[in-house]
Amino acid sequence: MDVLERYEPIIDDFEAFRAVCERPLPSVVRVNTIKATPERVRRAFDEAGVEWEGREWNDAVLEIDASPGTTWPSFHGWSHGQEEVSAIPPVALDPDPGQRVLDACAAPGGKTTQLAALMDDEGLVVANDNNLGRLSALRFNTERLGVTAAAVTNQDARNFSLKEFPFETFDAALVDAPCSCEGTIRKNPTTLDDWSEGHVRSVAGVQKGILRRAIQATREGGEVVYATCTFAPEENEAVVDHVLDAEDCRLVEFDVGLDSAPGVTEWNGEEYDESVRKARRYYPHHNDTGGFFCAKLEVGA
Ligand SMILES: C[S@@+](CC[C@H](N)C(=O)[O-])C[C@H]1O[C@@H](n2cnc3c(N)ncnc32)[C@H](O)[C@@H]1O
C-alpha cells in the first residue's frame, strides 16, 4: 500500500514532497549549550576537518558531513545527534530557567536534554517514559550531556502520578507522543512497511490519554506542546480537537522560524475546531528535513 498517497489532498506541491521523501536525511547535530557554545563546537569541527553548515532558525543546530556520534564534540557531550525537526518542540515550548517541566514521553532523551539546556540546567525536567528498556538510553544521554536538572520516572503517562513530588502541578509539559512515525521515512525507508489504519486508530487513543493527563498536570496559565513525527491527521489535529473539548485549554500561535503549513480542519469526513490551524505541519520538502507536527496549548484560558 502506498501510505503517503493518502496525504495528497492536504500537502502542497505533493510531487516535491514525494521526491524529497526518497532522499536520505542530512546529518544534523544540536549543540549542547550546557557544556559548550555553538562557536566552540564550530571551531572543534573546523579543527577536526568536519565540514559544517549552520541553520538560520537556530544557531545550536548544525548540519555536518560526518556521522553525529563519531565526532570529538559528541564524545565530550558538546553535541548531540538530533534530527532538525526534532529540535522544534522544545523551542516551541520555550521553558524558562527554574521552571518545573514534564516531558511525558522522554526516551531516549533528545528533547529532555534540549529542554534542560534551554532552562540553563536550572529547575526540573521530569523525564518520564513507560518503556523501562528505553530508560537506560535516556539516563545515558542526560549524563553524557551533563544535565543535572532532570529526574527520570517510569510511568504510563496516561495516569501520570505526582505523588513522589513535593508539588502538585508543572509549569509546562511536552508530549512527544508515540506515533506511526510516517515522517521518519527518510531516516528509516522501511518505516511504512507495517503501517495500518488499525495501528493509527489505536495509537491515537493512547495519544489522547497522554495529552489529557499532561494538560491536567499543568498549572493554569501553563503551556503544553503536543508533537508527533507523523502526517496522519487522526494522530495530530484529531487528538488536539479531542482535548479542546475534553480539557480546559486553548491553542496558541507559535513560530520557530521554519517553513510550515497550518493544521488541517477537515479530514476523511471529520471536521475539527477552526483553531487547529494554529498547529504547524513541517513537511520534508519545506526545510529538507523529516516530517513533524507540533501544537501549542495554553491551560485554563
Ligand atoms: C517519539 S518517542 C519519544 C522521543 C523522545 N521525546 C526524544 O526526543 O528522544 C515516544 C516515546 O513514548 C513512549 N511511550 C509510549 N507509550 C507511552 C505511555 N503510555 N506513557 C509514557 N510513555 C510512552 C515510548 O516508549 C517512546 O519512548
Side-chain angles (χ1 to χ4, degrees):
M1 178 185 174
D2 185 356
V3 176
L4 296 180
E5 207 65 41
R6 81 195 285 260
Y7 304 118
E8 185 163 6
I10 58 170
I11 296 183
D12 62 296
D13 199 352
F14 192 68
E15 285 315 307
F17 166 80
R18 293 301 300 232
V20 82
C21 286
E22 302 285 322
R23 295 209 309 266
L25 266 184
S27 173
V28 170
V29 298
R30 173 179 58 80
V31 174
N32 173 30
T33 53
I34 294 173
K35 285 195 168 184
T37 60
E39 296 72 35
R40 184 68 192 90
V41 172
R42 289 196 289 257
R43 207 163 65 239
F45 283 140
D46 285 341
E47 285 159 7
V50 174
E51 300 271 330
W52 56 267
E53 199 183 291
R55 289 290 191 265
E56 228 170 79
W57 74 283
N58 189 329
D59 72 350
V61 173
L62 300 174
E63 180 179 344
I64 59 171
D65 73 343
S67 173
T70 61
T71 63
W72 279 111
S74 167
F75 178 79
H76 291 306
W78 295 357
S79 68
H80 183 64
Q82 186 171 344
E83 252 202 71
E84 187 166 354
V85 273
S86 162
I88 294 171
V91 174
L93 190 61
D94 193 21
D96 292 323
Q99 284 193 322
R100 293 190 293 249
V101 179
L102 171 64
D103 187 358
C105 305
K111 296 179 195 68
T112 298
T113 52
Q114 186 182 357
L115 288 167
L118 291 169
M119 294 160 64
D120 297 336
D121 201 29
E122 285 169 23
L124 177 66
V125 182
V126 173
N128 177 70
D129 204 282
N130 75 335
N131 186 330
L132 189 61
R134 287 169 66 91
L135 292 189
S136 50
L138 172 60
R139 291 187 48 180
F140 172 76
N141 282 323
T142 51
E143 283 166 21
R144 185 177 67 83
L145 299 182
V147 174
T148 62
V152 173
T153 59
N154 179 215
Q155 298 191 39
D156 185 328
R158 290 173 290 187
N159 308 306
F160 188 83
S161 163
L162 280 129
K163 73 173 190 297
E164 306 296 337
F165 296 98
F167 54 85
E168 283 171 11
T169 52
F170 291 97
D171 297 303
L174 172 63
V175 175
D176 185 33
C179 70
S180 57
C181 298
E182 296 160 349
T184 66
I185 179 92
R186 295 182 69 187
K187 192 167 67 176
N188 307 315
T190 59
T191 198
L192 300 177
D193 290 359
D194 297 325
W195 187 95
S196 73
E197 271 190 32
H199 177 246
V200 168
R201 268 197 305 276
S202 89
V203 81
V206 176
Q207 292 160 342
K208 286 172 186 164
I210 297 175
L211 182 54
R212 283 193 67 174
R213 182 66 196 119
I215 292 166
Q216 291 160 4
T218 301
R219 68 167 165 79
E220 200 171 317
E223 288 173 328
V224 178
V225 162
Y226 176 72
T228 73
C229 57
T230 210
F231 306 118
E234 295 92 330
E235 299 179 53
N236 293 328
E237 289 85 349
V239 173
V240 173
D241 183 69
H242 172 82
V243 300
L244 288 175
D245 277 344
E247 302 295 336
D248 190 10
C249 62
R250 68 179 181 101
L251 273 155
V252 292
E253 308 262 8
F254 67 96
D255 179 10
V256 300
L258 282 169
D259 290 344
S260 61
V264 298
T265 54
E266 274 183 64
W267 173 251
N268 265 356
E270 299 269 318
E271 287 195 9
Y272 309 129
D273 190 278
E274 275 297 308
S275 68
V276 300
R277 284 186 202 284
K278 292 180 184 168
R280 306 309 309 172
R281 294 182 148 258
Y282 300 91
Y283 289 122
H285 60 302
H286 285 159
N287 307 287
D288 192 14
T289 60
F292 236 76
F293 172 87
C294 193
K296 185 169 183 175
L297 296 146
E298 186 179 345
V299 176

